[in-house]
Amino acid sequence: MASSEENEMYSKQWEGCMEIAVQTARTAGQVIREAFKHEKEVSTKSSPVDLVTETDRLVEDLIISSLREKYPSHRFIGEESSAAGEKCLLTDNPTWIIDPIDGTCNFIHSFPMVAVSIGFAVNKELEFGVIYHCLDENLYTARKGHGAFCNGIQLQVSKETDMSKALILTEIGAKRDPATLKIFSGNMERLLKAQVHGIRVIGSATLALCQVASGAADAYYQFGLHCWDIAAAAVIIREAGGNVIDTSGGPLDLMSRRIVAAGTVEMAHYIAREIQTITYERDDHNAN
Ligand SMILES: O=P(O)(O)O[C@H]1[C@H](O)[C@@H](O)[C@H](O)[C@H](O)[C@@H]1O
Ligand SMILES: [Mg+2]
Ligand SMILES: [Mg+2]
């Protein structure tokens, strides 16, 4: 069992990587902010509502090429590289898990909820996360064991355990077939019948998860997001004192495409019990 000093020394070696992640996210945010004002060239991926633009691809290439130059032995999992056929394989190697534009549909519609998300894992453990809201320039950061911050101000999750006092966030995901929509709306209906204060869908999983970390929302749940939506946000929520679990109530499974996050463990498990599963293929379904 490593001593706390050994753990701290181990964790400190990634501090430099996190500083580079912050610089990289800020640079990427500038590119996105500039492109936000202009016409976008839109194409689709897994469904007619799973959208991507030339800026998503450009920004991911910029991020990965600059990181790979600094860290040639590290591995990279990126949303658009994955869409182009690269395998989502999480190994023990230091791995950067990147969503170049989270909220692409918002970006296309010039709806101002757009973020860059950079997560980092070693030995399959999430070490740090950086999420940059490109338009309001809020930078969310967290390194394991060192707290979570937004523009340097420490974050603390909500302590709410009462569902009838909860503000809950979710996202729709890319599947829109009748059976999926029936389960999606059924989940919302069950929570609304539990008299929650409200449910919000803002179109960016990472920024919604940052609202849980900041205490502005009490919980988040989703089926259909990806490891690059989850990785950075999971560290930020945990370091803000929150809980991130699987929708089954078990431990978070980064590649499972499902999540429940909440300020309190009671809230997390209540939601996990209330919601019905929507099945998506795992991110690592073709990795082995
Ligand atoms: O594709 P981007 O990176 O914009 O990520 C979004 C997903 O596309 C949505 O399905 C999902 O529901 C979330 O909105 C997520 O943020
Ligand atoms: Mg994206
Ligand atoms: Mg995303």
Side-chain angles (χ1 to χ4, degrees), residues 45-46 49-52 56 79-80 98-107 113 115 170-176 201-208 220 222-226 228-229 257 280:
K45 296 187 288 187
S46 64
V49 293
D50 187 8
L51 308 174
V52 61
D56 292 79
E79 176 175 5
E80 307 317 333
I98 298 158
D99 190 339
I101 299 183
D102 185 52
T104 297
C105 180
N106 292 343
F107 174 70
M113 283 280 172
T170 188
E171 286 294 331
I172 302 167
K175 289 201 306 191
R176 300 287 171 79
V201 178
I202 64 170
S204 163
T206 62
L207 290 179
Y220 178 93
Q222 188 184 348
F223 299 94
L225 73 176
H226 293 274
W228 44 79
D229 294 310
R257 306 223 21 221
Y280 281 83

Side-chain angles (χ1 to χ4, degrees), residues 162-202:
D162 182 345
M163 284 308 284
S164 69
K165 296 188 180 113
L167 181 63
I168 298 178
L169 307 186
T170 188
E171 286 294 331
I172 302 167
K175 289 201 306 191
R176 300 287 171 79
D177 58 282
T180 295
L181 293 179
K182 189 167 166 29
I183 298 171
F184 176 80
S185 46
N187 286 340
M188 277 189 148
E189 191 178 335
R190 251 188 305 289
L191 294 171
L192 292 170
K193 280 181 179 162
Q195 302 293 312
V196 297
H197 277 177
I199 299 179
R200 302 282 183 274
V201 178
I202 64 170

